[in-house]
Amino acid sequence: MINIKYSLLGLVLLGIAFCSVGGCWPFFGGSEYDEYGYIDASTDIDSDTDTDTDVDTDTDTDTDTDPDCTSGICCSLLTGTYRPSTYPCDVTTAYSCTSSDCGADAQEKDTTQYCSGTSELCNGSTVLGGWIMVDDCATDAICEYDTIDSWCTVCPGGCIMGACDPACIPSWTERTVEWAFDGAVSVYVADVDGDGDLDMLGAAVMDNEIGWWENTAGDGTAWTGHTVDGAFAGARFVYAADVDGDGDMDVLGAAYEDDDITWWENTAGDGTAWTEHTIDGAFGGAVSVHAEDVDGDGDMDVIGAAYDDDGITWLENTAGDGTAWTEHTVDGAFGGAASVHAGDIDGDGDMDVIGMAYDDGDIAWWESNCVP
């Protein structure tokens, strides 16, 4: 009996020694682990329902052929989540195993990591396999690097998936077009001379002038001034549109002191000669003008705001070429009408009118019930 006890004790001691040398997972840890403490992938270890190869390099035949562990270096379940060092570097991936368990290119992380070239992390750690930890920079910055160093770059438009949002938040450089345009109150841009670039138009209430500036170089670096009308008393607003339908840009203006809504025909088509046409010469306190096809007949009609008359009015281009106009009241009691515009506010296919009244403190729109 004593010999049997010592024999059994010897077997136990031998088993303990064996565990200390080679591991005893098959005996004590369950069949899902091999003798080294890694997953014994005789089952679908990554739960992706496919078949696997020998992912744990223990020379047996496993059931998973998913290539996410081709090197055989897998994370021990004792220290982290399964992830091989050879995970393909082509997608954003979240994992949480340490580099000692997963290879030199792995970093312990609890949120998404982004894939890039060999670099030094923005937190000072080096990653050899190309995983960079963008979360170490501010929320509006990305981690950038070269072979020596790394740094955080602020993205003006914010970040998307570890890269700067391409949306631009510009800086600004002032460039003066005209230094002596007294009482400048209104500006507009249009290709006045038909050369393919944008020129500039302006109204000056003190100078009583409607003028335009030719974009001489085409890039806004040089300008040549031209007068459209130098005696438009109380010039308050300027606009441009093809009023007569001949394919070039004509100019429209509103004069507060003259009580005028006027358009100037671009006679030569290049802005060198102008012919004045009065649309309404008794538009009390004209302060704003806009051109739009209000009635949907294919030509440019005109909308105006009269401050003194408290009125918003549209003027129908009856002949279609700007030679005859019929006045229609939109609102005759819009106290201190100061600005007017047009657009399809309700999306029903016709042009509605938008206005602002200084005295009433109102912004309003008028629905067009136009039936083509």
Side-chain angles (χ1 to χ4, degrees):
M1 182 64 69
I2 294 176
N3 290 335
I4 293 174
K5 286 183 179 179
Y6 284 113
S7 296
L8 290 175
L9 179 59
L11 288 174
V12 171
L13 292 174
L14 180 60
I16 293 172
F18 176 77
C19 288
S20 65
V21 174
C24 51
W25 289 101
F27 303 99
F28 296 100
S31 60
E32 67 270 29
Y33 301 102
D34 65 11
E35 63 269 30
Y36 300 105
Y38 295 105
I39 296 172
D40 184 359
S42 57
T43 58
D44 183 9
I45 62 171
D46 48 9
S47 301
D48 57 2
T49 70
D50 59 9
T51 56
D52 291 345
T53 57
D54 182 11
V55 299
D56 50 7
T57 65
D58 58 357
T59 71
D60 59 6
T61 302
D62 301 322
T63 59
D64 206 27
T65 56
D66 190 5
D68 54 4
C69 197
T70 55
S71 71
I73 304 176
C74 302
C75 291
S76 169
L77 293 183
L78 296 179
T79 54
T81 304
Y82 166 82
R83 179 200 180 276
S85 63
T86 56
Y87 194 94
C89 210
D90 58 2
V91 293
T92 60
T93 304
Y95 59 92
S96 60
C97 53
T98 64
S99 58
S100 61
D101 292 314
C102 293
D105 65 340
Q107 287 285 316
E108 187 170 3
K109 190 142 181 355
D110 55 4
T111 55
T112 303
Q113 241 173 348
Y114 299 94
C115 188
S116 188
T118 299
S119 71
E120 182 178 333
L121 290 182
C122 288
N123 66 357
S125 301
T126 300
V127 171
L128 300 177
W131 295 88
I132 62 174
M133 190 180 291
V134 297
D135 289 348
D136 292 321
C137 296
T139 56
D140 61 347
I142 60 171
C143 178
E144 294 190 289
Y145 55 88
D146 53 28
T147 57
I148 300 174
D149 200 3
S150 66
W151 57 92
C152 292
T153 298
V154 174
C155 299
C159 303
I160 297 179
M161 295 296 288
C164 285
D165 188 336
C168 175
I169 298 179
S171 59
W172 302 94
T173 301
E174 181 181 356
R175 304 185 190 280
T176 301
V177 176
E178 176 62 65
W179 291 268
F181 198 56
D182 290 346
V185 290
S186 179
V187 68
Y188 194 73
V189 292
D191 184 6
V192 177
D193 53 7
D195 63 354
D197 55 46
L198 287 179
D199 307 302
M200 198 170 298
L201 301 101
V205 66
M206 300 299 293
D207 279 349
N208 302 316
E209 183 177 349
I210 298 291
W212 76 279
W213 291 265
E214 180 183 355
N215 190 349
T216 314
D219 60 0
T221 59
W223 300 88
T224 301
H226 305 272
T227 298
V228 176
D229 192 326
F232 195 54
R236 289 291 299 270
F237 204 89
V238 68
Y239 195 76
D242 185 8
V243 176
D244 53 7
D246 63 354
D248 55 42
M249 281 291 120
D250 306 304
V251 175
L252 298 100
Y256 180 79
E257 292 180 20
D258 276 351
D259 301 324
D260 266 0
I261 296 289
T262 296
W263 75 281
W264 293 268
E265 180 183 354
N266 191 347
T267 314
D270 61 359
T272 58
W274 301 93
T275 302
E276 181 177 357
H277 303 272
T278 298
I279 298 174
D280 191 331
F283 201 63
V287 290
S288 181
V289 65
H290 182 77
E292 197 70 64
D293 184 8
V294 176
D295 53 8
D297 64 354
D299 56 43
M300 281 291 143
D301 306 303
V302 171
I303 311 167
Y307 181 83
D308 293 342
D309 283 350
D310 300 324
I312 299 291
T313 300
W314 78 277
L315 301 117
E316 180 183 356
N317 190 348
T318 314
D321 61 0
T323 59
W325 300 89
T326 301
E327 183 174 336
H328 304 272
T329 299
V330 176
D331 193 326
F334 197 52
S339 182
V340 70
H341 202 78
D344 186 8
I345 299 295
D346 51 8
D348 63 355
D350 56 35
M351 283 293 116
D352 306 304
V353 174
I354 303 99
M356 180 178 68
Y358 179 82
D359 293 343
D360 282 352
D362 274 356
I363 292 179
W365 73 281
W366 295 267
E367 180 182 357
S368 171
N369 297 309
C370 178
V371 180

